Amino acid sequence: QVQLAESGGGSVQPGGSLRLSCAYSGYTYSRNCIGWFRQAAGKEREAVAYMYVTTGDSYYTDSVKGRFTISQDKAKNAVYLQMIGLKPEDSAMYYCAAGRVCAAHAVPYTYWGQGTQVTVSS
């Protein structure tokens, strides 16, 4: 089993910044990849960024490249999503997810956190 807990969401104005945290624990092999997904009301869940925990290799969806950065602190068993230049279209529930492999879709991710809400509005 892998447990995930997100934190750091909130409300910001356009152009603002937030850092999301995902604290993880549990079976190492099952959390080889940690990904951040988001789901806005009425829309499908989409992958935002994901990282192989062992190598640090990371990937981003095009709409967040240059604005979002995924990072990790292995000593704290945490993965972060630093978000700058936030736009209203970034508003969504953000989830971290863990799986054995990384992918830009939800299927390979076995474990999910409860989510943290990000709202960007003026």
Side-chain angles (χ1 to χ4, degrees):
Q1 288 287 335
V2 175
Q3 292 78 43
L4 303 164
E6 306 96 334
S7 61
S11 295
V12 296
Q13 294 185 341
S17 302
L18 283 173
R19 189 177 82 153
L20 306 183
S21 299
C22 175
Y24 59 80
S25 62
Y27 187 42
T28 303
Y29 186 61
S30 295
R31 52 173 173 79
N32 186 46
C33 180
I34 302 289
W36 283 100
F37 286 74
R38 66 186 179 187
Q39 187 167 20
K43 295 187 177 181
E44 294 186 355
R45 189 170 297 190
E46 66 167 342
V48 175
Y50 43 91
M51 164 186 280
Y52 279 103
V53 173
T54 51
T55 65
D57 290 340
S58 57
Y59 306 87
Y60 300 89
T61 193
D62 287 345
S63 63
V64 308
K65 285 180 180 177
R67 299 188 299 121
F68 290 12
T69 304
I70 189 170
S71 63
Q72 65 176 326
D73 186 335
K74 291 183 178 180
K76 295 182 177 180
N77 280 3
V79 171
Y80 306 100
L81 186 67
Q82 178 68 52
M83 307 185 292
I84 65 172
L86 283 162
K87 305 175 181 180
E89 51 263 43
D90 294 317
S91 296
M93 185 69 79
Y94 283 70
Y95 300 89
C96 66
R100 295 183 179 183
V101 295
C102 286
H105 55 87
V107 172
Y109 296 87
T110 307
Y111 302 97
W112 293 80
Q114 294 300 306
T116 185
Q117 179 68 39
V118 171
T119 302
V120 185
S121 70
S122 54

